[in-house]
Amino acid sequence: MPHLTTSGAVRPAIGADRLGIGVPGYAHPLLAPVEWAELLRFSRLYAAGAGHSAPLHWTVLNVAEGPGARPDPHCLEAVGRLRNAGLRVLGHLDMTYGAREFGELISDARNFLDWYRVDGFYLDRCPGEREELPATRRLTETLRTVLHGTDALDGGRLVLGHGTHPFAGFAETADQLVTFSGPWTDYRWSQAAPWTASYPASRFCHLVHGVPRTHLEEALRIARWQGAGTIWFTDRTDRDRAGDQVGSPWEGLPGYWDEIVSRIGPGVSE
């Protein structure tokens, strides 16, 4: 059985917070048309109250490691459909663990807003050390200013893609932190940092690849016990591309997509 937390605080496994889905970034719409279309179908099912579908909290748009050099017509069409359906789209900003220049990140953010009218930003490879907190706070405060006055859904959302538990102070700089991103072999034995117990589940996201169908219920239980409000679980791995090339496990749908959205509902059996 996984060691779910390192503190004495006990998180409820059922019913405290309803899990939702965050999509960390599909492939380009020309390469993954089924995936982008499925988001619309999924949102319609949820809006209609069909089954026990879970809410889609956000999806990430990554045109070319950012917004690209110019507006992409295929991405414009895909994002337009999602936003017209009331779905939140976040622009992908790669912080490269603090190595990217502040001005470059703000320029990319403005292009995302000008070209695709995104609803916020996913700050990938965000640093998590205490000494990096002031620079990250400066960036997120500036991004809030950039978002102010736009038509971003709910005023815009910022998600920090640490991929692991950062210094606790980062929790005050954004709407949500990705505190796990990695393989199932690590996730099933992972632990939640004690400081996370002070925050609601809506502040945390877990992204897990290589989850076997037979362990899906266990993975959902771990997410609830560790206090995650947003998840993306997939059976895909980073070697799912043709020719055994290393690729992103997030680029396509999980093989059990319909099953996972039906399981994330009022609760998961204990």
Side-chain angles (χ1 to χ4, degrees), residues 127-137 166-170:
E129 299 300 322
R130 184 172 187 164
E131 57 268 25
E132 298 286 352
L133 180 58
T136 303
R137 182 184 292 117
F167 173 66
F170 282 88

Side-chain angles (χ1 to χ4, degrees), residues 14-36:
I14 299 174
D17 292 279
R18 185 175 181 182
L19 284 172
I21 290 175
V23 182
Y26 285 146
H28 190 277
L30 283 179
L31 300 177
V34 172
E35 281 76 2
W36 287 92

Side-chain angles (χ1 to χ4, degrees), residues 122-209:
Y122 181 94
L123 279 64
D124 198 12
R125 298 199 287 175
C126 183
E129 299 300 322
R130 184 172 187 164
E131 57 268 25
E132 298 286 352
L133 180 58
T136 303
R137 182 184 292 117
R138 177 193 177 207
L139 176 62
T140 57
E141 289 176 350
T142 303
L143 290 174
R144 296 279 190 204
T145 300
V146 171
L147 284 164
H148 183 71
T150 70
D151 62 350
L153 187 63
D154 299 328
R157 173 165 295 192
L158 299 180
V159 178
L160 302 185
H162 301 284
T164 188
H165 287 92
F167 173 66
F170 282 88
E172 303 298 330
T173 66
D175 300 293
Q176 193 172 60
L177 311 181
V178 177
T179 53
F180 185 93
S181 180
W184 164 246
T185 50
D186 291 341
Y187 187 63
R188 68 181 309 191
W189 306 112
S190 63
Q191 301 178 350
W195 62 262
T196 63
S198 301
Y199 295 89
S202 60
R203 302 295 295 277
F204 303 106
C205 172
H206 293 170
L207 310 175
V208 190
H209 61 78

Side-chain angles (χ1 to χ4, degrees), residues 67-91:
R70 61 186 62 83
D72 182 302
H74 304 288
C75 291
L76 282 168
E77 181 179 4
V79 172
R81 289 176 177 173
L82 294 183
R83 295 197 77 246
N84 288 340
L87 299 180
R88 181 182 284 109
V89 179
L90 306 179

Side-chain angles (χ1 to χ4, degrees), residues 2-76:
H3 299 287
L4 300 178
T5 65
T6 57
S7 72
V10 177
R11 293 187 182 276
I14 299 174
D17 292 279
R18 185 175 181 182
L19 284 172
I21 290 175
V23 182
Y26 285 146
H28 190 277
L30 283 179
L31 300 177
V34 172
E35 281 76 2
W36 287 92
E38 183 61 22
L39 294 179
L40 286 176
R41 186 184 77 89
F42 173 49
S43 68
R44 289 169 184 147
L45 286 174
Y46 177 67
H52 295 304
S53 294
L56 180 66
H57 290 166
W58 42 260
T59 186
V60 175
L61 173 67
N62 187 3
V63 181
E65 299 305 319
R70 61 186 62 83
D72 182 302
H74 304 288
C75 291
L76 282 168

